[in-house]
Amino acid sequence: MRRRDHPRPTAGISIDRVSAPGPTSLEQPPKAVGLVVHAGRPVAGELAADAARRLTKAGLHVVGYEGDGWPAGSLTVADADSFADGLDVVVVFGGDGTLLRAAWLARDRGVPLLGVNLGRLGFLSESEAGETEVALQRVVDGQFTVEERMTLEVSVRDASGNEAARSWALNEASIERATPQRLMVFEVQVGQTTFARVPADAVICATPTGSTGYAFSARGPILSPQLEAILLVPVAPHSLFDRTLVVGAGEALLVRPDDSASRASVSLDGRETLPIPERGWVEIARGERPVRMVRLGEFDFYRRVRDKFGLR
Protein backbone atom coordinates (compact mmCIF):
# COMPACT_ATOMS: atom_id res chain seq x y z
CA MET A 1 0.00 0.00 0.00
CA ARG A 2 1.26 3.44 -0.82
CA ARG A 3 2.04 5.83 1.98
CA ARG A 4 -0.51 8.50 2.84
CA ASP A 5 -0.02 12.01 4.10
CA HIS A 6 -3.45 12.40 5.69
CA PRO A 7 -4.05 11.70 9.38
CA ARG A 8 -4.43 8.11 10.42
CA PRO A 9 -8.04 7.41 11.46
CA THR A 10 -8.74 7.12 15.13
CA ALA A 11 -11.19 4.81 16.81
CA GLY A 12 -14.11 7.24 16.70
CA ILE A 13 -16.70 4.61 17.59
CA SER A 14 -16.38 2.59 20.77
CA ILE A 15 -16.89 -1.15 20.48
CA ASP A 16 -18.68 -3.19 23.13
CA ARG A 17 -18.78 -6.93 22.59
CA VAL A 18 -22.34 -7.93 23.43
CA SER A 19 -23.84 -11.32 22.79
CA ALA A 20 -27.22 -11.51 21.09
CA PRO A 21 -29.95 -11.86 23.73
CA GLY A 22 -32.81 -14.30 23.35
CA PRO A 23 -36.47 -13.31 23.13
CA THR A 24 -37.94 -11.45 26.10
CA SER A 25 -41.50 -10.63 27.12
CA LEU A 26 -43.15 -7.44 28.34
CA GLU A 27 -43.89 -7.46 32.07
CA GLN A 28 -47.54 -6.55 31.43
CA PRO A 29 -49.90 -6.05 28.46
CA PRO A 30 -49.29 -2.80 26.58
CA LYS A 31 -51.24 0.35 27.38
CA ALA A 32 -50.14 2.57 24.48
CA VAL A 33 -49.63 1.59 20.83
CA GLY A 34 -48.22 3.62 17.95
CA LEU A 35 -49.16 3.21 14.29
CA VAL A 36 -46.86 3.80 11.30
CA VAL A 37 -48.39 3.51 7.83
CA HIS A 38 -47.29 3.40 4.19
CA ALA A 39 -49.29 6.46 3.18
CA GLY A 40 -49.02 5.60 -0.52
CA ARG A 41 -51.00 2.35 -0.14
CA PRO A 42 -54.77 2.87 0.40
CA VAL A 43 -55.11 -0.63 1.90
CA ALA A 44 -52.49 0.30 4.51
CA GLY A 45 -54.52 3.32 5.56
CA GLU A 46 -57.71 1.25 5.76
CA LEU A 47 -56.09 -1.45 7.88
CA ALA A 48 -54.44 1.11 10.15
CA ALA A 49 -57.69 3.02 10.67
CA ASP A 50 -59.44 -0.24 11.58
CA ALA A 51 -56.57 -1.12 13.93
CA ALA A 52 -56.89 2.27 15.64
CA ARG A 53 -60.60 1.63 16.27
CA ARG A 54 -60.01 -1.90 17.60
CA LEU A 55 -57.16 -0.89 19.88
CA THR A 56 -59.03 2.13 21.24
CA LYS A 57 -62.10 -0.02 21.91
CA ALA A 58 -59.86 -2.43 23.83
CA GLY A 59 -58.83 0.46 26.10
CA LEU A 60 -55.39 1.22 24.67
CA HIS A 61 -54.10 4.70 23.91
CA VAL A 62 -53.31 4.94 20.18
CA VAL A 63 -50.84 7.40 18.62
CA GLY A 64 -50.25 7.95 14.91
CA TYR A 65 -47.13 9.38 13.31
CA GLU A 66 -48.07 12.78 11.93
CA GLY A 67 -45.96 12.29 8.79
CA ASP A 68 -48.38 9.57 7.64
CA GLY A 69 -51.20 12.01 6.87
CA TRP A 70 -53.80 10.97 9.44
CA PRO A 71 -57.12 12.88 9.03
CA ALA A 72 -57.52 15.67 11.54
CA GLY A 73 -59.25 14.51 14.72
CA SER A 74 -59.06 10.79 13.87
CA LEU A 75 -56.55 10.05 16.65
CA THR A 76 -53.66 11.55 18.59
CA VAL A 77 -50.66 12.24 16.34
CA ALA A 78 -47.06 13.06 17.23
CA ASP A 79 -43.95 14.21 15.37
CA ALA A 80 -40.71 12.26 14.97
CA ASP A 81 -39.15 13.60 18.18
CA SER A 82 -42.03 12.61 20.47
CA PHE A 83 -43.80 9.80 18.62
CA ALA A 84 -42.30 6.90 20.60
CA ASP A 85 -42.57 8.56 24.02
CA GLY A 86 -44.63 6.37 26.34
CA LEU A 87 -45.41 3.71 23.72
CA ASP A 88 -45.21 -0.02 24.48
CA VAL A 89 -45.50 -1.31 20.88
CA VAL A 90 -45.52 0.19 17.37
CA VAL A 91 -47.61 -1.58 14.70
CA VAL A 92 -46.35 -0.99 11.15
CA PHE A 93 -48.55 -1.32 8.05
CA GLY A 94 -46.45 -1.56 4.88
CA GLY A 95 -43.37 -3.28 3.53
CA ASP A 96 -39.79 -3.43 4.73
CA GLY A 97 -39.20 0.21 3.83
CA THR A 98 -42.02 1.33 6.10
CA LEU A 99 -40.70 -0.84 8.92
CA LEU A 100 -37.21 0.66 8.52
CA ARG A 101 -38.79 4.10 8.86
CA ALA A 102 -40.63 2.97 11.98
CA ALA A 103 -37.37 1.59 13.38
CA TRP A 104 -35.84 5.05 13.02
CA LEU A 105 -38.74 6.47 15.06
CA ALA A 106 -38.76 3.81 17.78
CA ARG A 107 -35.24 2.44 18.33
CA ASP A 108 -33.89 5.04 20.73
CA ARG A 109 -36.89 4.57 23.06
CA GLY A 110 -36.56 0.78 22.92
CA VAL A 111 -40.12 0.33 21.60
CA PRO A 112 -40.66 -3.01 19.78
CA LEU A 113 -42.13 -3.12 16.27
CA LEU A 114 -44.84 -5.41 14.90
CA GLY A 115 -44.77 -5.40 11.10
CA VAL A 116 -47.90 -6.17 9.07
CA ASN A 117 -46.64 -6.95 5.58
CA LEU A 118 -48.27 -5.20 2.63
CA GLY A 119 -45.15 -5.25 0.45
CA ARG A 120 -43.64 -7.79 -1.95
CA LEU A 121 -41.23 -9.66 0.33
CA GLY A 122 -41.64 -8.39 3.86
CA PHE A 123 -38.62 -10.06 5.45
CA LEU A 124 -38.91 -7.83 8.51
CA SER A 125 -42.66 -8.20 9.07
CA GLU A 126 -44.19 -10.64 11.55
CA SER A 127 -47.73 -10.77 10.18
CA GLU A 128 -49.53 -10.68 6.81
CA ALA A 129 -52.50 -8.42 6.06
CA GLY A 130 -55.04 -11.22 6.43
CA GLU A 131 -53.78 -11.97 9.94
CA THR A 132 -54.17 -8.44 11.29
CA GLU A 133 -57.14 -9.10 13.59
CA VAL A 134 -55.43 -12.03 15.29
CA ALA A 135 -52.12 -10.14 15.56
CA LEU A 136 -53.80 -7.13 17.19
CA GLN A 137 -55.56 -9.33 19.73
CA ARG A 138 -52.22 -10.90 20.65
CA VAL A 139 -50.86 -7.38 21.20
CA VAL A 140 -53.84 -6.40 23.36
CA ASP A 141 -53.40 -9.53 25.46
CA GLY A 142 -49.62 -9.12 25.71
CA GLN A 143 -49.11 -12.56 24.14
CA PHE A 144 -45.86 -11.95 22.32
CA THR A 145 -42.12 -11.93 22.80
CA VAL A 146 -39.52 -9.37 21.75
CA GLU A 147 -36.41 -10.13 19.70
CA GLU A 148 -33.44 -7.76 19.37
CA ARG A 149 -31.63 -7.12 16.08
CA MET A 150 -28.18 -5.54 15.98
CA THR A 151 -27.67 -2.20 14.28
CA LEU A 152 -24.73 -0.29 12.82
CA GLU A 153 -23.32 2.92 14.28
CA VAL A 154 -21.98 5.16 11.51
CA SER A 155 -19.58 8.08 11.94
CA VAL A 156 -18.58 10.35 9.04
CA ARG A 157 -15.17 11.98 9.49
CA ASP A 158 -13.55 14.90 7.69
CA ALA A 159 -9.94 14.99 6.45
CA SER A 160 -8.69 15.97 9.92
CA GLY A 161 -10.54 13.15 11.65
CA ASN A 162 -13.23 15.36 13.15
CA GLU A 163 -16.73 13.92 13.22
CA ALA A 164 -18.90 15.60 10.58
CA ALA A 165 -22.03 13.49 11.13
CA ARG A 166 -23.26 10.46 13.04
CA SER A 167 -26.24 8.17 12.54
CA TRP A 168 -27.19 4.50 12.45
CA ALA A 169 -28.75 1.77 10.31
CA LEU A 170 -30.62 -1.49 10.83
CA ASN A 171 -30.00 -2.99 7.37
CA GLU A 172 -26.99 -1.33 5.80
CA ALA A 173 -24.73 1.66 5.31
CA SER A 174 -23.89 2.03 1.61
CA ILE A 175 -20.86 4.16 0.76
CA GLU A 176 -21.49 5.38 -2.79
CA ARG A 177 -20.06 7.64 -5.44
CA ALA A 178 -22.11 10.80 -5.94
CA THR A 179 -20.91 11.26 -9.54
CA PRO A 180 -22.71 8.92 -11.97
CA GLN A 181 -20.70 6.76 -14.36
CA ARG A 182 -17.42 7.35 -12.58
CA LEU A 183 -15.38 4.58 -11.00
CA MET A 184 -14.35 5.09 -7.39
CA VAL A 185 -11.71 3.31 -5.34
CA PHE A 186 -12.60 2.52 -1.73
CA GLU A 187 -9.87 1.90 0.82
CA VAL A 188 -11.12 -0.64 3.37
CA GLN A 189 -9.60 -0.87 6.84
CA VAL A 190 -10.47 -3.42 9.55
CA GLY A 191 -9.33 -2.27 12.97
CA GLN A 192 -5.87 -0.80 12.39
CA THR A 193 -5.13 -2.93 9.32
CA THR A 194 -5.60 -1.67 5.78
CA PHE A 195 -7.25 -4.66 4.12
CA ALA A 196 -7.72 -3.70 0.45
CA ARG A 197 -8.32 -0.99 -2.10
CA VAL A 198 -11.54 -1.88 -3.91
CA PRO A 199 -12.48 -0.26 -7.25
CA ALA A 200 -16.29 -0.42 -7.33
CA ASP A 201 -19.52 1.51 -7.73
CA ALA A 202 -20.20 1.27 -3.98
CA VAL A 203 -19.37 -0.65 -0.82
CA ILE A 204 -22.17 -1.98 1.39
CA CYS A 205 -21.69 -2.55 5.12
CA ALA A 206 -24.63 -4.65 6.31
CA THR A 207 -25.95 -6.37 9.40
CA PRO A 208 -27.22 -9.96 9.32
CA THR A 209 -30.72 -8.46 9.16
CA GLY A 210 -29.65 -6.49 6.08
CA SER A 211 -28.08 -9.53 4.41
CA THR A 212 -31.40 -10.24 2.66
CA GLY A 213 -31.68 -6.67 1.36
CA TYR A 214 -29.35 -4.53 -0.73
CA ALA A 215 -26.37 -6.72 0.20
CA PHE A 216 -28.17 -9.78 -1.18
CA SER A 217 -28.86 -7.92 -4.45
CA ALA A 218 -25.10 -7.34 -4.71
CA ARG A 219 -24.55 -11.13 -4.37
CA GLY A 220 -23.65 -11.07 -0.71
CA PRO A 221 -24.36 -14.11 1.52
CA ILE A 222 -27.44 -14.62 3.67
CA LEU A 223 -26.62 -14.55 7.38
CA SER A 224 -28.78 -15.77 10.24
CA PRO A 225 -29.98 -12.86 12.41
CA GLN A 226 -28.72 -14.84 15.41
CA LEU A 227 -25.18 -14.00 14.32
CA GLU A 228 -23.33 -10.87 15.42
CA ALA A 229 -21.33 -9.81 12.36
CA ILE A 230 -20.88 -7.08 9.77
CA LEU A 231 -20.82 -7.77 6.04
CA LEU A 232 -18.74 -5.72 3.61
CA VAL A 233 -20.01 -6.26 0.06
CA PRO A 234 -18.51 -4.52 -3.02
CA VAL A 235 -21.05 -3.42 -5.65
CA ALA A 236 -19.97 -4.03 -9.27
CA PRO A 237 -16.28 -4.34 -8.32
CA HIS A 238 -13.72 -3.68 -11.08
CA SER A 239 -11.16 -6.17 -9.82
CA LEU A 240 -10.54 -9.89 -9.57
CA PHE A 241 -11.24 -9.72 -5.83
CA ASP A 242 -15.02 -9.53 -5.69
CA ARG A 243 -15.77 -11.41 -2.48
CA THR A 244 -17.76 -10.37 0.57
CA LEU A 245 -15.80 -9.81 3.78
CA VAL A 246 -17.48 -10.86 7.03
CA VAL A 247 -16.04 -9.37 10.22
CA GLY A 248 -16.96 -9.79 13.85
CA ALA A 249 -19.38 -7.34 15.44
CA GLY A 250 -16.59 -6.21 17.78
CA GLU A 251 -14.34 -5.19 14.87
CA ALA A 252 -14.62 -1.65 13.50
CA LEU A 253 -14.67 -1.04 9.76
CA LEU A 254 -13.38 2.04 8.00
CA VAL A 255 -14.12 2.91 4.37
CA ARG A 256 -12.39 5.82 2.66
CA PRO A 257 -13.43 6.93 -0.84
CA ASP A 258 -9.97 7.42 -2.34
CA ASP A 259 -10.71 9.97 -5.07
CA SER A 260 -10.72 13.70 -4.36
CA ALA A 261 -12.13 14.39 -7.84
CA SER A 262 -15.43 12.65 -7.02
CA ARG A 263 -17.89 13.31 -4.26
CA ALA A 264 -19.20 10.43 -2.16
CA SER A 265 -21.92 9.85 0.40
CA VAL A 266 -23.19 7.18 2.76
CA SER A 267 -26.81 6.03 2.51
CA LEU A 268 -28.42 4.56 5.63
CA ASP A 269 -31.26 2.10 5.03
CA GLY A 270 -32.32 4.25 2.08
CA ARG A 271 -33.87 6.76 4.52
CA GLU A 272 -30.96 9.14 5.13
CA THR A 273 -27.94 10.21 3.08
CA LEU A 274 -24.86 11.86 4.61
CA PRO A 275 -22.23 13.56 2.44
CA ILE A 276 -18.61 12.52 3.00
CA PRO A 277 -16.21 15.50 3.14
CA GLU A 278 -13.33 15.56 0.66
CA ARG A 279 -10.56 13.20 1.86
CA GLY A 280 -12.86 12.08 4.64
CA TRP A 281 -13.98 8.57 5.57
CA VAL A 282 -16.73 6.53 7.19
CA GLU A 283 -16.38 4.43 10.35
CA ILE A 284 -18.85 1.58 10.91
CA ALA A 285 -19.26 -0.44 14.09
CA ARG A 286 -21.84 -2.43 16.00
CA GLY A 287 -24.63 -0.09 17.13
CA GLU A 288 -25.06 0.74 20.80
CA ARG A 289 -28.82 0.09 20.67
CA PRO A 290 -30.67 -2.75 18.91
CA VAL A 291 -33.99 -2.57 17.09
CA ARG A 292 -36.61 -4.58 18.97
CA MET A 293 -39.03 -6.77 16.99
CA VAL A 294 -42.32 -8.32 18.14
CA ARG A 295 -42.64 -12.10 17.67
CA LEU A 296 -46.09 -13.70 17.86
CA GLY A 297 -44.64 -17.21 17.82
CA GLU A 298 -41.39 -19.07 17.25
CA PHE A 299 -39.41 -17.30 14.51
CA ASP A 300 -38.11 -19.65 11.80
CA PHE A 301 -35.67 -17.59 9.75
CA TYR A 302 -34.85 -20.35 7.28
CA ARG A 303 -38.50 -21.11 6.56
CA ARG A 304 -39.03 -17.41 5.92
CA VAL A 305 -36.10 -17.25 3.48
CA ARG A 306 -37.37 -20.38 1.75
CA ASP A 307 -40.90 -19.06 1.41
CA LYS A 308 -39.98 -15.51 0.38
CA PHE A 309 -37.59 -16.69 -2.35
CA GLY A 310 -39.74 -19.61 -3.43
CA LEU A 311 -37.08 -22.22 -2.67
CA ARG A 312 -38.26 -25.84 -2.88
Side-chain angles (χ1 to χ4, degrees), residues 100-156:
L100 288 170
R101 181 163 59 87
W104 173 67
L105 294 169
R107 183 196 77 148
D108 290 351
R109 300 291 191 276
V111 183
L113 309 174
L114 169 63
V116 178
N117 180 40
L118 303 175
R120 185 173 61 88
L121 287 176
F123 266 104
L124 299 176
S125 297
E126 180 66 8
S127 178
E128 299 296 326
E131 305 165 340
T132 304
E133 184 176 348
V134 174
L136 291 176
Q137 190 60 51
R138 295 285 297 275
V139 169
V140 170
D141 296 336
Q143 296 179 349
F144 59 87
T145 58
V146 177
E147 176 191 10
E148 295 187 344
R149 294 289 184 93
M150 72 166 279
T151 57
L152 299 177
E153 203 76 15
V154 179
S155 175
V156 179

Side-chain angles (χ1 to χ4, degrees), residues 12-235:
I13 298 179
S14 61
I15 305 295
D16 292 323
R17 186 73 181 187
V18 182
S19 59
T24 59
S25 300
L26 296 184
E27 294 182 358
Q28 58 186 4
K31 297 180 180 179
V33 176
L35 301 178
V36 175
V37 187
H38 190 311
R41 294 178 182 266
V43 66
E46 294 168 6
L47 285 172
D50 182 66
R53 288 190 292 269
R54 290 177 181 274
L55 293 168
T56 300
K57 185 177 180 180
L60 279 69
H61 179 54
V62 182
V63 179
Y65 175 49
E66 70 172 7
D68 292 341
W70 289 93
S74 59
L75 79 170
T76 302
V77 297
D79 61 16
D81 291 335
S82 60
F83 171 74
D85 291 349
L87 296 182
D88 299 305
V89 177
V90 172
V91 183
V92 185
F93 295 90
D96 285 345
T98 309
L99 199 141
L100 288 170
R101 181 163 59 87
W104 173 67
L105 294 169
R107 183 196 77 148
D108 290 351
R109 300 291 191 276
V111 183
L113 309 174
L114 169 63
V116 178
N117 180 40
L118 303 175
R120 185 173 61 88
L121 287 176
F123 266 104
L124 299 176
S125 297
E126 180 66 8
S127 178
E128 299 296 326
E131 305 165 340
T132 304
E133 184 176 348
V134 174
L136 291 176
Q137 190 60 51
R138 295 285 297 275
V139 169
V140 170
D141 296 336
Q143 296 179 349
F144 59 87
T145 58
V146 177
E147 176 191 10
E148 295 187 344
R149 294 289 184 93
M150 72 166 279
T151 57
L152 299 177
E153 203 76 15
V154 179
S155 175
V156 179
R157 302 273 165 171
D158 63 19
S160 299
N162 299 314
E163 187 170 77
R166 176 180 286 262
S167 193
W168 66 275
L170 171 59
N171 266 6
E172 75 273 320
S174 177
I175 299 93
E176 308 168 349
R177 60 186 183 184
T179 306
Q181 300 178 344
R182 183 180 177 88
L183 177 67
M184 180 166 281
V185 178
F186 299 90
E187 180 184 294
V188 176
Q189 181 175 310
V190 183
Q192 296 300 312
T193 301
T194 300
F195 176 72
R197 287 167 49 80
V198 182
D201 289 350
V203 168
I204 302 169
C205 298
T207 64
T209 298
S211 69
T212 54
Y214 186 17
F216 178 78
S217 299
R219 303 188 64 81
I222 295 175
L223 294 188
S224 165
Q226 294 187 23
L227 295 176
E228 293 279 307
I230 302 174
L231 296 172
L232 188 140
V233 186
V235 178

Side-chain angles (χ1 to χ4, degrees), residues 242-296:
D242 61 353
R243 299 294 189 265
T244 294
L245 177 67
V246 182
V247 304
E251 298 179 289
L253 279 171
L254 181 149
V255 179
R256 186 198 307 275
D258 191 26
D259 188 348
S260 60
S262 295
R263 307 298 293 178
S265 61
V266 54
S267 175
L268 306 170
D269 288 341
R271 63 163 173 80
E272 180 181 18
T273 299
L274 305 175
I276 302 172
E278 184 176 339
R279 297 178 63 211
W281 62 84
V282 181
E283 295 176 358
I284 302 100
R286 186 189 194 280
E288 296 177 356
R289 297 186 181 93
V291 167
R292 308 182 76 211
M293 310 285 283
V294 167
R295 296 297 174 212
L296 302 177

